Amino acid sequence: MDDNLLSKYIGVFGNLHRNVNPKMGRAPHKPVLLLALLDQIERGLIPDNIIVLTQDLVAAFSWYWDILVPEGTWVNKIANPFRFMVQDGFWELVKNGIPVSTQSLGNNPTIRQLTIEVDGACLAPDLWELLQDRMALQTLRTHMLRHYFNVGLVEIQTQIPANPIDYEVEKLKAEAQSQFRPHKVREESDETGYFMRHALFPRVIRDLYRNACAVCGISPQAEDSRGLIDAAHIMPFGLYHNDDPRNGIALCKNHHWGFDAGWYSITNDYHILVSPKLRHNDQYIITGVPLLLPQDHLLAPALSALSWHRKSRFIK
């Protein structure tokens, strides 16, 4: 470990450019993002010097945020520090290997905008090299926790989930046991939550249905984890932006296509309802066959979503 280099970045990380609010003081977003980044590097989830806005990074950011930032103060928003960290001299946004002008991103970018307009952020080469040293990484983390939040590393480590993304998956399942709301979800009201729900929707649905098609039960999967099972929205995402797990169902690609086309639907007691207009369907789907449901029936498809599908998609 290069002690001079470590000393340099202790100074840099301890003097981040941050917005000031007269009532709440300096914004915590940049320190929280850097803590999440160190977490992801240590876990081996960022193997190269390109920091991408992945669901894992957002989950880690949200986890640190919930623990370190008092509720009811600042807004959990990862896009702003991701864009404005360029002010601190060690962070550069790139697209196709070319630096991106931050002016083109505006002053209040969204996660979606950043994932489209940039590939990610590159760290200064000497910082990236330094962060490959576990002791240096721990020293920087300890310094930021104490400097910005007045807490110690041991205090934080006792609250760290084994994997923040698994924690987010279970949290989404728990949230889904409240009243189902079929109306359109607004991205602007909860950008981070919106991003996480949409990013994790396929994983949650496949997990609930044990990675098997709810209609035919097949569960083929290749060694590289590719499979034929889709996480299908019952009420289309393009219309309702609803990633509640109860608006989802695991279907093989054949039955996903047929469901979207209205060739069949599902009754309120979770049996298959085949369109009378469908011909030569004996090998494809059979009326009256029960749907394979999640073990937790509270996470079964919402009846209002199934009713929408029968009225709006099913070919009568």
Side-chain angles (χ1 to χ4, degrees), residues 49-51 82 90-94 97 120-125 127-128:
N49 189 8
I50 179 73
I51 309 349
F82 201 92
F90 58 84
W91 183 279
E92 184 174 61
L93 300 178
V94 296
C122 292
L123 300 178
L127 174 58
W128 175 254

Side-chain angles (χ1 to χ4, degrees), residues 237-285:
F237 181 81
L239 294 177
Y240 292 92
H241 290 205
N242 192 328
D243 283 314
D244 187 310
R246 294 163 298 180
N247 188 41
I249 183 171
L251 297 171
C252 67
K253 296 188 182 302
N254 280 340
H255 286 122
H256 187 178
W257 193 96
F259 185 71
D260 287 349
W263 286 3
Y264 70 94
S265 193
I266 301 165
T267 65
N268 278 355
D269 61 353
Y270 300 113
H271 286 71
I272 300 299
L273 179 66
V274 178
S275 168
K277 301 295 179 66
L278 190 61
R279 299 287 181 263
H280 312 294
N281 63 295
D282 289 349
Q283 298 300 316
Y284 177 69
I285 198 164

